[in-house]
Amino acid sequence: MSDNKPVIVYGASGYTGRLVCEYLRELGVPFVAAGRSKDKLDASMGANVPGIETADYEVAEVEHSVAALTELFTGAGVVLNTVGPFSAHGPEVVQAALAAGAHYTDTSGEQDWLITCEETYGADFAAKGLLLAPGIAQMYTTGEIAAEICLEQPGLDTLDIAVFWGGSPTIASTRTILVNAAMSKAHYLEQNAYVEFDPAAGLVPLVVPGQHELALSLPWGGTSHPVWYRRDPKVATCKAQGGVFDNALMNGVPQIVAAALEATKDMDTEQRDEALTATAAQVMNQMPPRENPRLNKSLDSVHASGPLGRAHCVIHGNQNYKQTGLLQAYAAYSLLQQPPRRVGFASGCQAFGHRELLGQLQAFGLVSEPVVTRQRG
């Protein structure tokens, strides 16, 4: 790796990776765009990252192995990983970042992967003074910001989180959804303990602030929030649901997942992965178009409650994948200048501060001022 490129974007040719590179350019951070195909990386940087000609970057083709990734990461300060499913492809990247002495973040929302990161790698990263922050992404971090705003009011211990967005998931996200549904269970947090969602519960209608029509939601793998808050003394119970605003699309998700699970139930892990990948390609087999702020809206709503108080925070935003790209780029930008607020396993807000992350999203025009209401006992 070139000594003057302190940030590695692994999976830079993908939809989210491109956006991370775009915001690193805007923040003036030199980076290495890394992945398994130099041709794809060159094409992606040239055609899909606006202003790339003014960026300080280089491209690196690398094998997906601990040894090869460690060699690439050595000398870097931060690794931003966008290659999922993370439960399948994440271990090599985390192990390489640890061996190279680099901070690690990723865009995962796979609850089982977050639990693995915390239990398997968290202490080792903390011992080296390094940050291990999986799940820094719009679907998780923006909702976490809303939760933390609610928790600025003392005495609230229960979080009810809803996350919605407009548009379609990427190829990688679709595959991750199916693989995660087939391979792992989804949990919420109840009195500091994980409780499994009923896998047969199906769609849950939710009241969405700002519209009359109910929206349909799913546990969406349980999300990252219960894992982040399990060891937070302020919070005892945390449940999150999510979905897209398009109810017709949401109605199809359980059928697609159920059919995929039934078709692959007798397969071994490798066969199942291949079959689920093929199913995902039938659902989404092309890169979505660049986001349109009039269409690709996001909404994060958090109700927080306690014995004698309540708070509600709503954050309206747009372009959820761009929010993810900015959050990742700002994490690297911050880590290159000062230590995180917490080392080892931590969320975006725990590592960088929820007001700081909110400020960045607002500065780039991606979220509006939070709408907060409070009731005190």
Side-chain angles (χ1 to χ4, degrees):
M1 191 208 76
S2 177
D3 290 338
N4 63 346
K5 304 293 189 297
V7 175
I8 308 289
V9 182
Y10 186 50
S13 64
Y15 190 90
T16 304
R18 300 169 182 174
L19 294 171
V20 176
C21 295
E22 182 176 330
Y23 281 109
L24 287 171
R25 183 199 73 84
E26 294 198 21
L27 291 171
V29 178
F31 64 92
V32 174
R36 288 176 288 181
S37 169
K38 187 177 185 301
D39 289 342
K40 287 185 178 180
L41 289 162
D42 284 332
S44 184
M45 292 299 104
N48 300 106
V49 181
I52 192 63
E53 67 278 0
T54 65
D56 183 3
Y57 82 104
E58 61 186 64
V59 165
E61 183 176 279
V62 62
E63 176 187 278
H64 188 80
S65 68
V66 175
L69 291 169
T70 300
E71 182 179 356
L72 175 66
F73 297 167
T74 297
V78 187
V79 173
L80 309 177
N81 182 19
T82 69
V83 179
F86 294 87
S87 56
H89 304 302
E92 294 89 344
V93 190
V94 167
Q95 291 168 30
L98 180 63
H103 298 292
Y104 172 94
T105 78
D106 69 34
T107 57
S108 174
E110 300 162 45
Q111 194 177 80
D112 58 329
W113 171 238
L114 268 83
I115 293 171
T116 296
C117 283
E118 179 181 26
E119 295 180 350
T120 305
Y121 306 111
D124 292 335
F125 271 77
K128 286 191 170 186
L130 298 172
L131 175 65
L132 173 62
I136 297 182
Q138 181 277 324
M139 191 175 174
Y140 314 102
T141 306
T142 310
E144 185 194 9
I145 293 169
E148 288 296 314
I149 290 173
C150 289
L151 293 171
E152 291 174 351
Q153 177 176 329
L156 307 182
D157 61 12
T158 299
L159 297 175
D160 177 2
I161 300 173
V163 181
F164 286 92
W165 66 98
S168 300
T170 63
I171 299 170
S173 296
T174 304
R175 180 172 180 265
T176 297
I177 291 165
L178 287 174
V179 171
N180 198 237
M183 302 293 192
S184 63
K185 299 176 181 179
H187 300 87
Y188 59 94
L189 191 68
E190 186 171 301
Q191 296 303 313
N192 303 113
Y194 291 133
V195 179
E196 184 184 351
F197 276 98
D198 178 1
L203 294 164
V204 176
L206 293 184
V207 175
V208 177
Q211 67 180 49
H212 293 110
E213 183 180 5
L214 295 176
L216 299 176
S217 71
L218 289 167
W220 224 260
T223 79
S224 305
H225 307 95
V227 185
W228 289 333
Y229 283 111
R230 189 170 71 92
R231 298 186 186 277
D232 188 321
K234 299 189 300 295
V235 177
T237 298
C238 175
K239 181 180 285 188
Q241 299 271 140
V244 298
F245 287 116
D246 185 342
N247 280 352
L249 179 58
M250 284 299 295
N251 274 312
V253 172
Q255 286 85 354
I256 294 168
V257 172
L261 296 182
E262 178 63 26
T264 60
K265 65 181 181 180
D266 296 323
M267 296 180 180
D268 61 32
T269 301
E270 184 175 347
Q271 291 174 324
R272 179 182 293 180
D273 188 61
E274 291 177 358
L276 291 172
T277 299
T279 301
Q282 294 173 13
V283 178
M284 175 62 68
N285 63 358
Q286 59 185 0
M287 284 285 186
R290 188 171 175 83
E291 290 172 302
N292 181 337
R294 298 180 68 185
L295 302 175
N296 299 104
K297 301 174 184 178
S298 68
L299 182 143
D300 293 85
S301 174
V302 177
H303 286 282
S305 60
L308 294 175
R310 301 186 67 86
H312 182 210
C313 179
V314 181
I315 299 178
H316 295 277
N318 62 71
Q319 302 174 97
N320 50 298
Y321 282 100
K322 290 189 76 172
Q323 289 181 49
T324 297
L326 174 58
L327 289 165
Q328 286 285 322
Y330 177 74
Y333 177 75
S334 179
L335 287 167
L336 294 178
Q337 298 179 73
Q338 63 183 17
R341 297 185 177 193
R342 183 183 299 185
V343 295
F345 179 82
S347 69
C349 291
Q350 291 164 349
F352 305 106
H354 64 285
R355 288 289 179 180
E356 286 73 11
L357 295 181
L358 173 64
Q360 292 301 312
L361 292 172
Q362 290 181 306
F364 282 83
L366 296 175
V367 303
S368 61
E369 183 69 19
V371 180
V372 183
T373 55
R374 298 190 187 276
Q375 175 186 336
R376 303 177 192 273

